[in-house]
Amino acid sequence: MKSELRAIDYSLPNKRSTGYTILLILSLFLVSTNLRAAITSISPLLEDIQRDLGMNGISVSLLTSIPLFCMGIFAPMAASLSDRLGMERAITVCIGLIGIATAARFFAVTSFLLLLTALLAGIGIAVAGPLISGFIKHHFPAHASSIVGVYLTGMGIGASISTAYAIPIERAAHGSWSTALGIWSIFAVIGILAWWPIIRKHASPNHHDASSRKQSSKLPWNNKQAWLFLIIFGLQSGIYYTAATWLAPRAQEIGMDAATAGTLVTVYSIMQMIAGLVTPLMLNRTTSRKSWLLAFSICSLAGCSALSYFPAEVNPFLSAAVMGIGAGGLFSIALILPLDVTSTSRDASLWTAMIQFGGYLIGGLLPLVSGVFYDIGGSYQASFLILIFTSLILIAVSVFYRGKRYTHYSQQ
């Protein structure tokens, strides 16, 4: 009976203590640091990985594309895993898988093993994304946009630290890029330790998870708005990950050394993180999303164009900063849109699963296509053409977007 009361109290966010609310937010933040570092840590080390493993542009781009494809293909597993284990324990399993995959990079001495770690990390990130969206919708239904900012800040800090310290750690490890990749498994250890009190509080599948099994588990494939959100998510993810993959190599191509190129990627990640934190706060004050979509799409276009065609005329760090603002803002909006139009945590997870399923498949193609452009053109400038083209499409989509925020909530 006591366990049932605890579950019911837990399903009513307004009844919990302030201390537990702070614990939920802090734990969410620390868990979120795991969701990008396994991907973004690759970029500063890309030249060394290519040289040591003999990988061409297409094969090395798979280090980014494989996680993205996984993040699409495996996203629909989130609802069933949540039903089996409970939302909180399912998130723990995902973070553990990411940590194991990242730690395995200490021993990734062949391209096959390195690509295998990318696959496993991608699966963990894939399932964690929709689960965390549902977690936010359940615990913070009236403040979902603001909590998404915490979520994105965690991801941004994980990405920023992993890119900023990749080269210094490689040098400290006597040129071992595998050490500079594997060390970020520490994020998983910290995240699980912070998450542990939440797991202990709800050691069995939660009341809201048990009730949700009676609801439909179908993804909203027949909903036109869900398809629009899918396209927006796919385009913005393609821009982000293509830039994260090729920004450092492009910087080295225009004359920067590896350390400075790594700093450039860090600037990109930091600005993406800041935009990810600030944008949800601004969106929480308005029901309109169109103007923000358009503004951030233009930022992406401006930054990509400057770095591709005017690196001497426009400071590369300014270009990277503008690109980061665009990427962070677009990702914030893409995560918030399904929370806007759903009224329960399960619906939010299902919408997010569909949007990320198709969106990450689209996004995963773009780094791969940009790798093909590099192999054909022999220049990373050619790779940035795909970013410019994608930004233009996103601007066109933004012009015709008509969606508004949904303002009725349920804690189911």
Side-chain angles (χ1 to χ4, degrees):
M1 180 66 179
K2 289 183 179 179
S3 62
E4 291 176 358
L5 289 174
R6 284 198 300 269
I8 294 172
D9 287 343
Y10 179 65
S11 69
L12 296 173
N14 60 320
K15 297 293 185 181
R16 63 171 177 249
S17 68
T18 301
Y20 189 62
T21 299
I22 294 173
L23 175 63
L24 288 174
I25 295 173
L26 177 62
S27 300
L28 175 66
F29 170 81
L30 292 173
V31 161
S32 300
T33 60
N34 289 272
L35 300 185
R36 289 298 176 269
I39 301 172
T40 56
S41 59
I42 293 287
S43 181
L45 305 167
L46 204 60
E47 294 285 318
D48 294 338
I49 294 171
Q50 278 187 284
R51 182 188 63 247
D52 291 348
L53 299 183
M55 302 173 76
N56 60 21
I58 296 176
S59 60
V60 79
S61 67
L62 289 173
L63 293 172
T64 299
S65 290
I66 285 177
L68 289 181
F69 287 136
C70 289
M71 288 156 70
I73 294 169
F74 293 97
M77 290 176 56
S80 59
L81 188 63
S82 179
D83 287 345
R84 284 176 175 272
L85 302 179
M87 188 183 296
E88 292 76 14
R89 290 198 298 174
I91 291 172
T92 307
V93 170
C94 294
I95 300 305
L97 179 58
I98 296 168
I100 291 170
T102 305
R105 290 179 168 177
F106 281 115
F107 314 101
V109 294
T110 67
S111 57
F112 172 77
L113 290 175
L114 190 58
L115 291 170
L116 180 60
T117 66
L119 173 69
L120 296 176
I123 294 172
I125 296 169
V127 183
L131 288 173
I132 290 175
S133 291
F135 180 88
I136 292 171
K137 187 69 176 181
H138 174 75
H139 290 284
F140 308 96
H143 304 283
S145 295
S146 300
I147 301 303
V148 165
V150 175
Y151 172 36
L152 292 176
T153 302
M155 285 195 289
I157 287 178
S160 299
I161 293 175
S162 65
T163 54
Y165 290 97
I167 297 297
I169 290 173
E170 181 190 34
R171 290 175 176 173
H174 308 290
S176 172
W177 52 260
S178 60
T179 299
L181 293 178
I183 197 168
W184 307 117
S185 55
I186 188 66
F187 286 147
V189 176
I190 295 171
I192 290 175
L193 288 176
W195 200 252
W196 196 252
I198 298 174
I199 304 170
R200 292 187 62 187
K201 187 175 178 67
H202 307 284
S204 60
N206 300 319
H207 172 78
H208 65 272
D209 289 314
S211 299
S212 69
R213 293 191 191 103
K214 300 176 183 179
Q215 303 171 17
S216 173
S217 295
K218 293 182 179 179
L219 303 183
W221 292 113
N222 295 328
N223 191 298
K224 293 181 180 179
Q225 193 169 42
W227 276 99
L228 177 62
F229 293 172
L230 185 156
I231 293 170
I232 291 172
F233 193 96
L235 294 174
Q236 67 79 27
S237 68
I239 291 172
Y240 173 78
Y241 287 105
T242 303
T245 303
W246 301 114
L247 185 55
R250 173 59 178 162
Q252 290 174 277
E253 186 177 61
I254 62 177
M256 292 183 178
D257 59 32
T260 307
T263 303
L264 188 73
V265 178
T266 301
V267 169
Y268 173 72
S269 296
I270 290 174
M271 296 309 297
Q272 186 263 348
M273 175 187 67
I274 293 172
L277 174 63
V278 174
T279 301
L281 299 177
M282 296 187 297
L283 291 178
N284 212 32
R285 298 174 179 272
T286 177
T287 59
S288 175
R289 307 314 194 201
K290 177 178 178 177
S291 58
W292 296 105
L293 270 172
L294 189 58
F296 290 126
S297 299
I298 291 172
C299 283
S300 290
L301 175 63
C304 295
S305 299
L307 195 61
S308 181
Y309 290 103
F310 309 106
E313 292 82 1
V314 182
N315 188 297
F317 286 95
L318 177 60
S319 300
V322 173
M323 287 172 59
I325 292 171
L330 288 170
F331 188 46
S332 300
I333 295 172
L335 285 177
I336 289 170
L337 289 177
L339 303 183
D340 280 347
V341 300
T342 55
S343 59
T344 70
S345 60
R346 187 169 183 80
D347 285 344
S349 290
L350 291 171
W351 273 65
T352 303
M354 173 187 157
I355 290 164
Q356 293 190 6
F357 171 75
Y360 278 128
L361 290 180
I362 294 171
L365 286 173
L366 297 183
L368 195 60
V369 172
S370 67
V372 174
F373 274 49
Y374 168 74
D375 286 339
I376 293 174
S379 168
Y380 292 110
Q381 182 184 47
S383 300
F384 270 68
L385 287 174
I386 193 68
L387 288 171
I388 295 171
F389 181 69
T390 305
S391 297
L392 288 170
I393 297 176
L394 198 46
I395 288 172
V397 172
S398 302
V399 169
F400 293 102
Y401 178 71
R402 293 288 183 271
K404 287 190 179 264
R405 182 183 176 192
Y406 182 81
T407 56
H408 300 287
Y409 300 100
S410 168
Q411 281 85 46
Q412 291 180 7

